[in-house]
Amino acid sequence: MVQKANLEKSVKAVILLSGGLDSSTVLYQAKADGCTCYAMSFDYQQRHRRELEAARAIAQSAGVAEHQIVSFDLRQWGGSALTDDNIELPCDRSLEEMGQSIPITYVPARNTIFLSFALAYAEATNASRVYIGVNAIDYSGYPDCRLDYIQAMQNVFRLGTKQGRESETTEIVTPLIELKKTEIIQLGNRLGVPWEKTWSCYAGGDRPCGVCDSCQLRLAAFAELGLTDPLPYLQQGS
């Protein structure tokens, strides 16, 4: 696994882009690394499909070579508050509560699905890197955001493709995996990420709710840095 890209030459890179704070920072990092960027987003009928508008805006702002939006329906089997309206979205939880267990906003095998699409796209377009904005330090608790998972998927990339067997394996690049949320914001500021174009809310409205786990984590990080998040929140949790 590669966590920081080799800057020696310009290469093609597939960037997993949700339109959120983390993935937008990763796209701008790939751009700063000198990559020709091919963004890939997913419409999986998620509760917060509003994020796709942000992904389009960020991709345009960053000047990507191409932006793919792949559509499929994970609501067919649900299993997550993001894909099943019968599961209540966690709101007004403390940061301590968020870190206690894998949250109901975990979508079964989502990053494995996303990375599989990214690998196919990368191999088809001869891209040598896939960037993903996983983070294992601050809250998340998601099993598919951890280092051992990324290492396992890197082995899949090597063993499961013609490119991996015959030539150079596509590298998974994880610039944020060991950064705190505040450090991600600081990195994004240095890279010029337009935060006002991003979207982190899980709720699915036209404005971010301010009380879901994702909103609260984002707001807490901006506040800790003494910065104002430019998004127009409906309310802000405790």
Side-chain angles (χ1 to χ4, degrees):
M1 184 197 63
V2 173
Q3 294 186 19
K4 293 187 178 180
N6 186 329
L7 307 183
E8 292 180 359
K9 60 180 181 179
S10 177
V11 297
K12 287 184 178 181
V14 173
I15 319 300
L16 291 177
L17 178 66
S18 70
L21 185 150
D22 293 348
S23 70
S24 298
T25 302
V26 165
L27 172 56
Y28 273 73
Q29 181 63 66
K31 183 180 175 183
D33 289 344
C35 295
T36 301
C37 297
Y38 293 76
M40 176 170 267
S41 304
F42 300 96
D43 179 357
Y44 55 98
Q45 297 299 302
Q46 61 269 44
R47 180 194 295 260
H48 56 307
R49 292 178 72 226
R50 166 63 178 79
E51 68 179 359
L52 294 172
E53 294 179 28
R56 292 186 185 95
I58 291 293
Q60 182 176 9
S61 176
V64 302
E66 189 171 85
H67 183 204
Q68 294 275 345
I69 298 180
V70 180
S71 298
F72 50 93
D73 188 1
L74 291 185
R75 284 185 177 268
Q76 293 179 88
W77 49 77
S80 167
L82 301 187
T83 55
D84 187 340
D85 290 335
N86 294 317
I87 299 176
E88 187 175 352
L89 187 70
C91 292
D92 281 319
R93 299 203 300 166
S94 68
L95 299 185
E96 292 73 20
E97 287 178 295
M98 294 180 203
Q100 288 176 359
S101 61
I102 296 174
I104 196 61
T105 51
Y106 163 72
V107 178
R110 182 175 61 179
N111 280 346
T112 303
I113 295 167
F114 288 0
L115 283 169
S116 296
F117 274 110
L119 174 58
Y121 187 26
E123 190 172 28
T125 58
N126 199 32
S128 61
R129 297 178 189 151
V130 169
Y131 281 71
I132 182 171
V134 293
N135 173 255
I137 300 300
D138 276 345
Y139 156 85
S140 120
Y142 296 141
D144 54 0
C145 289
R146 303 175 188 178
L147 180 59
D148 56 357
Y149 166 77
I150 294 296
Q151 291 170 333
M153 286 303 296
Q154 182 66 79
N155 205 33
V156 170
F157 276 34
R158 179 176 64 85
L159 297 175
T161 61
K162 180 178 185 292
Q163 185 182 44
R165 292 285 188 172
E166 296 183 354
S167 57
E168 184 177 353
T169 303
T170 301
E171 300 170 339
I172 303 176
V173 186
T174 59
L176 312 184
I177 200 163
E178 295 181 348
L179 298 185
K180 297 178 180 179
K181 189 67 72 177
T182 51
E183 293 172 325
I184 295 170
I185 292 172
Q186 289 172 324
L187 174 60
N189 283 341
R190 292 195 295 273
L191 294 170
V193 177
W195 301 126
E196 72 279 1
K197 297 181 185 293
T198 64
W199 184 269
S200 301
C201 182
Y202 286 154
D206 293 329
R207 292 173 59 189
C209 70
V211 294
C212 71
D213 288 358
S214 187
C215 281
Q216 291 210 86
L217 285 164
R218 174 176 170 142
L219 283 163
F222 272 99
E224 185 176 340
L225 292 169
L227 302 174
T228 300
D229 188 334
L231 295 187
Y233 290 88
L234 287 172
Q235 57 180 312
Q236 294 189 18
S238 57

